[in-house]
Amino acid sequence: MQTVVVGTSGTTADDVIAVARHGARIELSAEAVAALAAARGIVDALAAKPEPVYGVSTGFGALATRHISPELRAQLQRNIVRSHAAGMGPRVEREVVRALMFLRLKTVCSGRTGVRPEVAQTMADVLNAGITPVVHEYGSLGCSGDLAPLSHCALALMGEGDAEGPDGTVRPAGELLAEHGIAPVELREKEGLALLNGTDGMLGMLVMALADLDRLYKSADITAALTLEALLGTEKVLAPELHAIRPHPGQGAAAANMLAVLEGSGLTGHFQEEEAPRVQDAYSVRCAPQVAGAGRDTMAHARLVADRELASAVDNPVVLPDGRVESNGNFHGAPVAYVLDFLAIAAADLGSIAERRTDRLLDKNRSHGLPPFLADDAGVDSGLMIAQYTQAALVSELKRLAVPASADSIPSSAMQEDHVSMGWSAARKLRTAVDNLTRVIAVELYAATRAIELRRHLTPAPASRAAIEALRAAGVEGPGPDRFLAPDLAAADVFVRDGQLVAAVEKVTGPLA
């Protein structure tokens, strides 16, 4: 099993994926343990002074004006966790909670939070034991961190609340800790606050969405190329010299991917041989690299933001290298929230153009010789008519999900926290958008491969043949009379979702960009 070592200088997207999705074990580096101990010494020294220090010897948020006496400080830290664990709604996915906890541990290990080494080790132990606190959908405004979600995680560290065990059963967290020999933490000054105050949930979801979208954009280049073939279009618009004169990197990469898929095709270039020859292909085909490329460049910006956040220590107050403990606003989620919303907009547009290509494949007036709805016996058979309806419904939902969450703000904490990012909400809707985009691409794949097989007198590109053969081997049937369509579409969805489409094509083309 892979081991991820957490140091003082942040982490990587690959490490987040390894822990969140693949159960990688976590170790704390000696450097991190030393940094934790040094920062804790600073907090202990401040706690012993009579002057109030925010988060150490005061209340929180709008209650920060009250100085808390030493005998009440442990209770203060327990209380902030208990009171802030106020989430509602459905449970959040296991991988999101694991990413959330791991990223909080990353910041704790920076030595900027004042948390004791034993607390950090308990966080690692809980993750390594496969214990996943129950976190709810609603409770974060994306400012002062993902407060409620992180509080539910901290509550489990205290042996309170509910958690899912490695067997998938939800039980009291205290029971699960005891079974794995993990002692509940007894929080001291600042530790409760430090476990709650970060952008970790929205960042974890951003990292995982970027990994998924990287696969989906390659998949969309493949399905766009398959549709171009099925419509007997021209690959000349994909020439590198055309994209060099508008040098957006993503556009060039998308065009190169499509060109690689189409190499050796016997279907392309027939657009001027018909009874009504075309001068140009429709925008949904001809401009596929421009749309997918813009999305890729949006992803590049989002990765830059994610990488900066992965290298950050987000807490308030924070322990600085010179020993000062200072309040700050680094917990505000705006940088992450914006790119989460940008990605949802790009996903909606990629889904929209894919649906237009699918519709073109099914319309006998625009499909250049293909049967209506790709039906076996049109009229008796409806073919893929309703598959396109499903795809259209998904695209409509994608457009609604593209409405930015980060354009909203709602005041909280008696107007102390009077501007918030809504980044958690942006992340939640992006996860839905990624799921729906996968389904949209799967429908285009299903239609395009059927259409290519209906061009029986022409030979598709080797990469296209590889995609079709792999799809059929996965149990997705080809042309023929009407049948129960939902299982085929579900299998196509899995084929795209788990990377089989990209893998099949890359066996012919080599790695796609």
Side-chain angles (χ1 to χ4, degrees), residues 19-20 23-24 94-103 127-128 130 132:
V19 171
R94 182 177 185 271
E95 68 177 17
V96 173
V97 180
R98 287 184 61 82
L100 172 77
M101 292 185 69
F102 174 66
L103 288 168
L127 283 165
N128 289 340
T132 308

Side-chain angles (χ1 to χ4, degrees), residues 138-156:
Y138 301 105
S140 173
L141 300 179
C143 205
S144 293
D146 291 317
L147 285 175
L150 283 163
S151 297
H152 282 275
C153 294
L155 194 69

Side-chain angles (χ1 to χ4, degrees), residues 76-438:
L76 170 71
Q77 299 301 320
R78 289 194 301 271
N79 284 352
I80 190 175
V81 172
R82 289 167 175 165
S83 66
H84 285 42
M88 294 182 74
R91 284 179 57 195
V92 171
E93 303 86 356
R94 182 177 185 271
E95 68 177 17
V96 173
V97 180
R98 287 184 61 82
L100 172 77
M101 292 185 69
F102 174 66
L103 288 168
R104 196 72 216 137
L105 176 61
K106 173 267 298 182
T107 282
V108 164
C109 287
S110 69
R112 297 285 172 258
T113 69
V115 169
R116 289 169 295 150
E118 50 264 46
V119 175
Q121 185 60 56
T122 301
M123 296 172 75
D125 291 343
V126 167
L127 283 165
N128 289 340
I131 298 171
T132 308
V134 171
V135 172
H136 298 280
E137 181 84 16
Y138 301 105
S140 173
L141 300 179
C143 205
S144 293
D146 291 317
L147 285 175
L150 283 163
S151 297
H152 282 275
C153 294
L155 194 69
L157 297 177
M158 293 165 48
E160 300 180 19
D162 292 327
E164 179 186 299
D167 64 353
T169 303
V170 174
R171 296 165 53 197
E175 291 182 10
L176 289 166
L177 294 185
E179 282 185 6
H180 289 84
I182 301 171
V185 298
E186 297 182 8
L187 299 174
R188 290 169 47 179
E189 292 94 342
K190 194 183 180 302
E191 290 181 333
L193 184 61
L195 294 177
L196 316 185
N197 209 334
T199 55
D200 307 293
M202 63 183 90
L203 175 58
M205 286 186 275
L206 171 61
V207 168
M208 290 187 285
L210 284 168
D212 295 337
L213 286 168
D214 181 71
R215 180 184 66 253
L216 288 178
Y217 272 82
K218 292 176 184 175
S219 299
D221 291 340
I222 294 168
T223 58
L226 294 172
T227 297
L228 186 151
E229 273 194 295
L231 293 173
L232 307 179
T234 177
E235 79 284 9
K236 291 182 178 180
V237 296
L238 305 173
E241 57 270 24
L242 292 174
H243 298 278
I245 61 176
R246 195 188 189 195
H248 294 289
Q251 176 180 325
N257 284 349
M258 289 182 66
L259 205 55
V261 174
L262 293 170
E263 184 175 355
S265 174
L267 280 83
T268 59
H270 295 275
F271 64 111
Q272 291 184 328
E273 299 173 4
E274 303 167 351
E275 292 182 7
R278 286 167 280 165
V279 176
Q280 300 170 326
D281 289 316
Y283 282 12
S284 60
V285 176
R286 188 176 7 136
C287 301
Q290 285 75 12
V291 172
R296 272 191 166 79
D297 291 342
T298 301
M299 288 171 58
H301 173 59
R303 279 197 191 92
L304 177 63
V305 171
D307 287 345
R308 289 170 177 165
E309 285 285 303
L310 290 168
S312 298
V314 177
D315 194 18
N316 179 49
V318 67
V319 181
L320 293 173
D322 61 8
R324 287 180 294 144
V325 176
E326 297 285 1
S327 292
N328 64 88
N330 284 340
F331 49 72
H332 199 289
V336 183
Y338 290 171
V339 295
L340 288 162
D341 280 335
F342 295 165
L343 290 171
I345 291 169
D349 202 32
L350 188 65
S352 179
I353 197 171
E355 184 276 330
R356 287 293 82 205
R357 289 192 296 262
T358 304
D359 182 65
R360 185 167 289 271
L361 287 167
L362 306 189
D363 183 355
K364 70 180 183 65
N365 296 311
R366 295 179 290 140
S367 65
H368 311 289
L370 291 169
F373 304 106
L374 306 181
D376 186 64
D377 184 4
V380 174
D381 294 313
S382 294
L384 306 192
M385 180 190 295
I386 308 305
Q388 186 267 330
Y389 283 32
T390 299
Q391 191 186 41
L394 290 163
V395 169
S396 185
E397 177 72 3
L398 280 169
K399 292 174 182 177
R400 290 190 290 273
L401 293 166
V403 176
S406 58
D408 185 31
S409 177
I410 191 163
S412 56
S413 193
M415 293 298 288
Q416 175 70 7
E417 299 170 11
D418 58 352
H419 185 275
V420 297
S421 78
M422 304 307 297
W424 174 273
S425 299
R428 297 304 296 163
K429 69 184 182 65
L430 178 60
R431 284 181 69 82
T432 304
V434 169
D435 279 345
N436 285 353
L437 178 60
T438 307

